[in-house]
Amino acid sequence: MLQQKIKKVCDKQFYGLQQCQKLKIYQKLYDIGNFSKKVYVAQTLKFALKNILLPNKNFEKNGSCFFSYSTKTLYNNHSLLEYAEKYDIISFDIFDTILFRKVDKPSDIFTLVASTCKVNNFKDLRITAEQESRKIKFTNEKTYEVTLDDIYNCNEILLKNKDLLIQLELNTEKENIYENNIVKDLILSLKKSGKTLICTSDMYLSSRQIKSFFSPDLLRCFDKFYVSSEQKYSKSNGKLFDVLENEYPNKKILHLGDNFYSDVLMNKNFKNIDSIQFFRNCNS
């Protein structure tokens, strides 16, 4: 319950603050360590908010940056390449890290699909179907991780046009996705240096579907994709990082992603996994 409250805080409460302000708050939360029952969210926030500093001059005015909470260090592509030398495996989050969407919110994709399909209230039906499919999946299999098929199978109206609508959704996603060139340059450089690269994502799409969004030169860089819909474990509960540790025993793993909770906080206590948070347009 406490972790859920902290996740809600991280995802929603600080939306709209400058990245550098959020970074200071995140650092306080990270430094606390394990969130035991003795840690109260309200007290944590009060403490963190009092310690917000002025924007860090090291943040690039136009561009992106990477931050390590363990070393309290900002990195650009060049310095991150040097930092990554000690790691055997480099893991990347996908959406909002490697790939960006042209829309503001992921659900805006459903709005675009609705404008071209003939299903009334498609967006609401699609959102509700995903919520219901996760509930059913947990009841039957004790996991909330679903596939696109699971979602469309959960609503009779969507099911009638399932194949057509799924293809339309995938096409719309592809039309509204573009690669993050800053991270892409980093990936290409890491691959050139001989690193093993993997993708680790919480997503209802399959690895095959996600791969179709990558350009050939980018896709060739990755050795394997770990997607929650296929693994039945997620980053957001830490269990997908368990999969990585088991698959790569005695290997040092560095994970890069944009989400403080799922990409940073949930792998903090893994022996062989470190994390870096990606910030997009740090001074915005």
Side-chain angles (χ1 to χ4, degrees), residues 209-224:
Q209 291 165 337
I210 293 172
K211 287 176 182 179
S212 70
F213 304 150
F214 282 58
S215 61
D217 60 330
L218 183 59
L219 184 59
R220 282 194 295 268
C221 293
F222 291 98
D223 293 83
K224 193 165 183 179

Side-chain angles (χ1 to χ4, degrees), residues 12-243:
K12 296 182 180 180
Q13 187 67 29
F14 302 142
Y15 182 80
L17 287 181
Q18 288 187 340
Q19 297 285 22
C20 47
Q21 291 177 318
K22 287 192 287 186
L23 183 58
K24 299 302 179 183
I25 298 172
Y26 290 165
Q27 184 69 60
K28 300 301 178 184
L29 293 172
Y30 184 87
D31 286 344
I32 288 171
N34 290 325
F35 294 104
S36 67
K37 292 182 180 179
K38 295 181 180 179
V39 180
Y40 294 94
V41 175
Q43 292 177 344
T44 301
L45 294 180
K46 185 177 180 181
F47 175 73
L49 288 167
K50 282 184 177 179
N51 287 274
I52 296 176
L53 302 178
L54 292 174
N56 190 320
K57 293 181 181 180
N58 290 325
F59 278 93
E60 297 174 278
K61 290 184 178 180
N62 297 302
S64 305
C65 62
F66 306 89
F67 186 77
S68 167
Y69 292 88
S70 58
T71 65
K72 297 180 174 62
T73 304
L74 279 165
Y75 298 94
N76 57 27
N77 273 17
H78 178 72
S79 57
L80 187 53
L81 273 173
E82 294 181 352
Y83 179 74
E85 286 181 0
K86 62 182 179 180
Y87 294 93
D88 305 296
I89 312 291
I90 313 296
S91 165
F92 285 86
D93 169 52
I94 298 176
F95 292 93
D96 297 320
T97 300
I98 298 176
L99 302 177
F100 290 155
R101 291 184 175 97
K102 298 175 184 177
V103 295
D104 292 333
K105 305 186 299 293
S107 60
D108 289 343
I109 294 295
F110 309 150
T111 302
L112 295 176
V113 174
S115 68
T116 57
C117 74
K118 298 180 180 180
V119 178
N120 292 330
N121 301 317
F122 172 81
K123 181 178 180 179
D124 292 338
L125 292 175
R126 171 64 177 76
I127 291 173
T128 302
E130 183 174 341
Q131 293 169 344
E132 290 301 315
S133 66
R134 292 187 187 278
K135 291 178 183 177
I136 293 171
K137 182 69 75 168
F138 184 77
T139 298
N140 295 335
E141 302 180 29
K142 301 306 179 199
T143 178
Y144 289 106
E145 304 313 310
V146 297
T147 66
L148 205 53
D149 273 355
D150 292 331
I151 294 169
Y152 277 85
N153 288 341
C154 202
N155 181 280
E156 291 185 5
I157 297 175
L158 299 182
L159 184 58
K160 290 179 181 178
N161 302 283
K162 174 181 167 182
D163 292 342
L164 180 63
L165 290 172
I166 284 180
Q167 192 57 53
L168 182 56
E169 180 175 334
L170 291 172
N171 290 345
T172 305
E173 282 275 19
K174 189 169 186 178
E175 290 167 2
N176 288 276
I177 277 177
Y178 62 100
E179 294 172 349
N180 173 5
N181 286 327
I182 290 176
V183 171
K184 181 176 182 178
D185 288 346
L186 175 65
I187 290 168
L188 293 172
S189 297
L190 285 166
K191 192 64 178 178
K192 187 176 180 180
S193 72
K195 293 295 181 185
T196 296
L197 306 184
I198 61 176
C199 284
T200 310
S201 178
D202 286 351
M203 189 57 174
Y204 47 76
L205 298 178
S206 68
S207 57
R208 179 183 60 81
Q209 291 165 337
I210 293 172
K211 287 176 182 179
S212 70
F213 304 150
F214 282 58
S215 61
D217 60 330
L218 183 59
L219 184 59
R220 282 194 295 268
C221 293
F222 291 98
D223 293 83
K224 193 165 183 179
F225 282 63
Y226 295 86
V227 183
S228 62
S229 62
E230 297 172 342
Q231 299 291 331
K232 304 306 177 187
Y233 297 116
S234 69
K235 292 184 300 180
S236 62
N237 64 15
K239 292 184 178 180
L240 195 52
F241 293 114
D242 268 322
V243 173

